[in-house]
Amino acid sequence: TPSKLFEGAEVIKQVGDRKMGLRCPNVDLRKNLEWSEADIKEIKEKLHAHSGVLTFPNQSIDLSPQDHINFAKHFGETEIHSAVKGIEGYPEVMQIEREPTADIIFGEDFHSDHSFQTWPASYSFLRATNEMTPYGTNNTQFANTIDAYADMSPLTKSILVGLTVSHSATKAYGEADQGETGGHKDNSLYAMKQTKGMELTGNTPIPDQHHPVVISHPLHGEPALFISKTFTNGIVGMTHNEGMELIMLLEKHITQDKYLFEVAYEENQITMWDNRQLVHKGLANDASRRRVIHRVSVSSGHIPVAAKEFDENGSDFETALQAALERKENGAVL
């Protein structure tokens, strides 16, 4: 039952009324196919109420890649990464490696997974393997983008809700010779070159996508900032320099201490997060040994909906989504 899934659960960090992350130590994820619809609904609500992060320690060494995938499938259609190859036999599972000698780290800057896609990832599921650095090192750090937006002044909000931002896979996975909107020498591609096994898919270049700077979360409609240093490379209608100055100003706001919290990993632990209310990054503070993690993400199944669209359509997400789709079909910049 839902109540049993969360027996013994503990909040990871609390600041005032804000609960950041929930540690759930008594869930055997090998048994996730036994869950009911009520269980899935309760997990989504618990996740949302705890700043978009649930973590599941105490997992069995027998937890398989298929168990990992089955867990994710409860929450959407699993994705095959557009740029990075998955592991053999399980293309949905991306292996993220960090060698002790690496000086560029994959995922070291804040981002929201797959925001460069037409339909960005909704939830992500990261599993620690048996190749990990000591507990409490190389944690995942999260920043709550719903709370960050809520704390802004009304004037700032009024400026941001009408803006559209460009999300670029090339910025993260492109070579560093493609101009101001191309790759750079500290990006994910150059991090991958310092690993033993990470490879690009070799697919054709992924076109940039335009998404609202402020999106509505589909569960309860809260507005959230949707930008990141990793993937966003400009604001539509601004010069490149103007857009990047604004993006970095927003990132500085989002990553204040009051919005930040971390998850530490033990072997086989899985952490689940919601990309629509968070940005995250991998910390790099221990190079004592090789670190390998596996990640599965599921598709949101739709384009991001602007907070402005949500408000103008009576606070109904499905109506707002349909209006956004119609506007996009008619050539509007969202």
Side-chain angles (χ1 to χ4, degrees):
T1 65
S3 58
K4 286 193 173 182
L5 287 177
F6 295 101
E7 284 183 354
E10 299 177 330
V11 175
I12 294 172
K13 178 182 177 181
Q14 186 156 354
V15 178
D17 294 334
R18 290 171 174 164
K19 297 177 180 179
M20 301 180 177
L22 188 67
R23 184 178 184 272
C24 309
N26 297 310
V27 181
D28 185 347
L29 293 176
R30 295 174 300 173
K31 299 180 179 180
N32 72 80
L33 293 180
E34 301 173 9
W35 293 347
S36 67
E37 289 186 14
D39 292 328
I40 304 306
K41 182 178 180 182
E42 180 72 1
I43 289 170
K44 288 181 179 179
E45 291 290 349
K46 287 284 189 183
L47 182 80
H48 195 68
H50 291 84
S51 298
V53 174
L54 300 179
T55 190
F56 301 93
N58 301 330
Q59 296 305 312
S60 169
I61 193 173
D62 297 325
L63 186 75
S64 68
Q66 192 60 56
D67 292 326
H68 188 180
I69 293 167
N70 290 342
F71 175 32
K73 281 184 174 179
H74 288 295
F75 303 92
E77 182 179 349
T78 52
E79 299 182 317
I80 296 174
H81 198 282
S82 304
V84 183
K85 289 182 179 179
I87 65 174
E88 185 174 354
Y90 303 95
E92 307 100 319
V93 181
M94 183 173 72
Q95 179 161 297
I96 302 171
E97 304 172 8
R98 180 180 298 174
E99 308 296 341
T101 56
D103 59 5
I104 306 174
I105 306 301
F106 189 95
E108 194 178 10
D109 287 328
F110 280 105
H111 61 283
S112 177
D113 289 333
H114 305 176
S115 69
F116 53 81
Q117 297 179 163
T118 305
W119 295 354
S122 52
Y123 302 107
S124 292
F125 307 79
L126 190 149
R127 178 192 176 184
T129 69
N130 59 4
E131 290 188 88
M132 299 295 291
T133 53
Y135 185 82
T137 64
N138 298 329
N139 297 346
T140 304
Q141 188 174 60
F142 296 93
N144 188 319
T145 54
I146 288 178
D147 290 345
Y149 180 78
D151 288 346
M152 287 180 150
S153 68
L155 177 59
T156 302
K157 290 177 181 177
S158 70
I159 295 169
L160 296 178
V161 292
L163 298 180
T164 299
V165 63
S166 178
H167 292 249
S168 171
T170 302
K171 184 177 180 182
Y173 299 106
E175 297 284 353
D177 58 358
Q178 301 177 40
E180 62 184 13
T181 59
H184 55 89
K185 290 184 178 179
D186 295 322
N187 70 5
S188 297
L189 171 64
Y190 287 86
M192 291 168 62
K193 289 181 177 182
Q194 297 187 8
T195 68
K196 293 179 180 178
M198 295 186 74
E199 297 180 52
L200 292 178
T201 59
N203 292 342
T204 55
I206 302 164
D208 291 1
Q209 294 294 325
H210 291 168
H211 298 310
V213 169
V214 187
I215 63 171
S216 287
H217 194 283
L219 199 60
H220 295 299
E222 301 101 318
L225 292 166
F226 197 57
I227 61 96
S228 72
K229 180 180 178 182
T230 298
F231 293 128
T232 49
N233 68 351
I235 302 292
V236 176
M238 294 185 181
T239 67
H240 178 72
N241 286 341
E242 288 172 343
M244 291 310 302
E245 288 287 343
L246 178 55
I247 287 167
M248 297 312 298
L249 179 66
L250 293 175
E251 172 137 331
K252 183 178 179 181
H253 171 71
I254 292 168
T255 57
Q256 294 178 76
D257 286 346
K258 60 182 176 180
Y259 306 126
L260 295 176
F261 61 105
E262 296 179 16
V263 169
Y265 292 92
E266 61 185 46
E267 291 182 9
N268 301 303
Q269 173 180 320
I270 288 186
T271 296
M272 172 186 184
W273 66 80
D274 188 340
N275 291 288
R276 301 160 299 184
Q277 67 184 104
L278 294 163
V279 288
H280 67 280
K281 71 175 184 177
L283 299 180
N285 52 16
D286 187 291
S288 59
R289 66 182 87 148
R290 188 170 189 255
R291 180 177 185 266
V292 179
I293 53 179
H294 288 168
R295 199 194 75 203
V296 176
S297 295
V298 298
S299 173
S300 58
H302 56 75
I303 63 173
V305 172
K308 181 180 179 181
E309 199 84 59
F310 183 80
D311 291 340
E312 290 175 353
N313 284 277
S315 299
D316 176 78
F317 187 82
E318 291 302 321
T319 302
L321 173 59
Q322 189 56 43
L325 288 169
E326 290 174 1
R327 288 181 62 229
K328 189 168 186 178
E329 288 174 2
N330 291 329
V333 176
L334 301 181

